[in-house]
């Protein structure tokens, strides 16, 4: 290539916007408008869970766990953003185990879609309840008090805590980072209500029974929050409804971790004399 050609190529590059490198495929492609750092092709391949088949745990396929019916849970329902396939496993691995910080916002925005799914579902259910309770359709639309009761939002996000050894190893709590994005976008506070009492090892290497056993007594109320929590609950009194608390984690497999966390939160609210509605959000559902 001649010196003139090299100069001309460099001159043109000043006026032609460069196409960014995609985090996922590593190619220069048109970026997604909704997920920063991801190209449109990779964004189109994300296995979003738009219509959960299991309305309890949010799974996208048949769910034998919830159909067993033998396990009680204080969690009303779980919603997950994506199905956990090999592509999603690699994406999470880049962030969780290899420390690629650029994935933090991407995964958080994906979780935010799960929150919107939950919100839309609860508001739709409320519309049905109000319309069936109204004697006429006109009453439903004219009654401002009834209409205001349709709006649904969470009051608190609680990330699943990690052990001290895991926090030292990774340098961050991925559930907390995910919750941060939803908290900022939706104006929902996030509080570390829970602590992990002991290290349980990697749950991905364990079977269902082992997971259930490992999670027993794995969490407790955060001593730093015990005195603050009653004041926070008291501030919600004007809502005239139970507080809505969402537990946040990266992956839902058997739900044992989320149920264990929910059990502690339920005990905390009951000790303060309050009822509570507990939900969970996870980035992926296996």
């Amino acid at each position: 290539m001649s010196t003139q050609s090299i100069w001309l190529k460099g001159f043109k590059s000043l006026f032609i916007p460069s196409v960014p490198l995609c985090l996922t495929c590593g190619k220069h492609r048109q970026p997604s408008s909704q997920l920063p750092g991801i190209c449109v092709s990779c964004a189109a391949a994300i296995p979003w869970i738009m219509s959960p088949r299991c309305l309890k745990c949010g799974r996208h396929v048949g769910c034998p766990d919830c159909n067993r019916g033998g396990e009680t849970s204080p969690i009303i329902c779980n919603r997950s953003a994506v199905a956990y396939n090999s592509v999603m496993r690699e994406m999470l691995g880049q962030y969780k185990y290899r420390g690629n910080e650029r994935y933090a916002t991407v995964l958080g925005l994906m979780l935010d879609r799960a929150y919107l799914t939950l919100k839309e579902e609860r508001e739709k259910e409320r519309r049905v309840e109000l319309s069936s309770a109204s004697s006429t359709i006109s009453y439903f639309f004219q009654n401002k008090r009834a209409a205001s009761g349709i709006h649904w939002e969470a009051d608190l996000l609680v990330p699943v805590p990690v052990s001290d050894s895991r926090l030292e190893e990774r340098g961050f709590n991925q559930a907390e980072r995910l919750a941060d994005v939803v908290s900022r976008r939706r104006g929902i506070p996030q509080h570390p209500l829970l602590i992990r009492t002991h290290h349980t090892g990697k749950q991905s290497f364990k079977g269902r029974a082992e997971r259930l056993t490992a999670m027993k007594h794995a969490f407790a109320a955060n001593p730093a929050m015990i005195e603050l929590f009653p004041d926070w609950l008291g501030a919600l009194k004007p809502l005239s409804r139970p507080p809505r608390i969402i537990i946040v984690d990266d992956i839902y497999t058997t739900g044992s971790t989320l149920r264990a966390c929910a059990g502690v939160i339920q005990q905390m609210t009951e000790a303060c004399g309050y009822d509570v509605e507990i939900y969970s959000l996870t980035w992926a559902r296996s």
Side-chain angles (χ1 to χ4, degrees):
M1 184 181 292
S2 65
T3 303
Q4 184 177 2
S5 298
I6 294 174
W7 180 89
L8 184 60
K9 184 178 180 181
F11 181 76
K12 287 182 178 179
S13 68
L14 295 175
F15 299 95
I16 302 176
S18 60
V19 179
L21 198 68
C22 174
L23 275 172
T24 303
C25 67
K27 298 178 180 178
H28 290 282
R29 289 178 172 174
Q30 181 183 350
S32 166
S33 59
Q34 297 180 333
L35 298 176
I38 304 296
C39 73
V40 291
S41 297
C42 289
I46 292 174
W48 298 105
I49 301 179
M50 306 301 294
S51 300
R53 186 169 175 180
C54 179
L55 298 181
K56 180 68 176 177
C57 72
R59 200 173 191 182
H60 53 294
V61 293
C63 180
D65 296 340
C66 293
N67 289 335
R68 285 189 178 97
E71 297 174 355
T72 59
S73 173
I75 298 176
I76 293 174
C77 68
N78 172 78
R79 288 297 175 266
S80 302
V82 300
Y84 194 52
N85 62 12
S86 58
V87 177
M88 296 299 97
R89 184 182 297 109
E90 175 61 23
M91 184 179 289
L92 182 63
Q94 286 286 341
Y95 174 58
K96 188 173 177 179
Y97 303 117
R98 298 169 203 166
N100 191 333
E101 293 286 339
R102 293 182 63 193
Y103 273 104
T105 300
V106 175
L107 300 183
L109 290 174
M110 292 168 75
L111 182 72
D112 186 60
R113 286 187 60 162
Y115 175 77
L116 291 180
T117 296
L118 175 62
K119 175 180 171 65
E120 290 168 2
E121 286 181 1
R122 304 311 290 184
E123 290 181 346
K124 182 178 180 180
E125 289 177 8
R126 187 59 178 155
R127 287 192 189 94
V128 173
E129 291 174 0
L130 290 173
S131 61
S132 61
S134 304
S135 56
T136 62
I137 295 178
S138 61
Y139 171 83
F140 172 70
F141 286 103
Q142 292 174 7
N143 190 320
K144 293 182 179 179
R145 186 175 180 182
S148 65
I150 293 175
H151 179 70
W152 190 97
E153 63 181 358
D155 299 308
L156 180 65
L157 302 175
V158 178
V160 171
V162 296
S163 64
D164 291 341
S165 60
R166 189 70 73 215
L167 187 61
E168 184 178 351
E169 175 188 332
R170 294 180 191 153
F172 62 92
N173 176 356
Q174 70 278 359
E176 187 178 279
R177 295 280 185 87
L178 290 170
D180 275 340
V181 177
V182 179
S183 177
R184 291 194 302 269
R185 288 178 65 84
R186 305 301 161 189
I188 307 169
Q190 176 190 178
H191 292 316
L193 285 189
L194 308 174
I195 59 171
R196 192 177 286 256
T197 58
H198 58 273
H199 182 61
T200 53
K202 290 191 176 183
Q203 299 301 294
S204 58
F205 297 150
K206 298 176 182 177
R208 178 181 176 79
E210 290 178 301
R211 287 171 183 261
L212 295 174
T213 301
M215 285 301 109
K216 288 183 178 179
H217 313 298
F219 303 98
N222 185 346
M225 296 298 301
I226 290 177
E227 292 185 5
L228 300 175
F229 190 54
D231 294 336
W232 178 82
L233 289 170
L236 294 177
K237 272 187 177 180
L239 294 176
S240 67
R241 60 163 175 77
R244 296 167 182 155
I245 297 178
I246 296 182
I247 305 169
V248 177
D249 204 3
D250 53 358
I251 303 175
Y252 184 118
T253 303
T254 64
S256 56
T257 298
L258 294 166
R259 286 192 294 273
C261 290
V264 176
I265 293 173
Q266 187 176 52
Q267 291 173 4
M268 293 176 67
T269 52
E270 288 177 351
C272 297
Y274 289 86
D275 293 325
V276 65
E277 292 181 10
I278 303 176
Y279 303 84
S280 63
L281 281 181
T282 61
W283 173 73
R285 178 65 172 95
S286 65

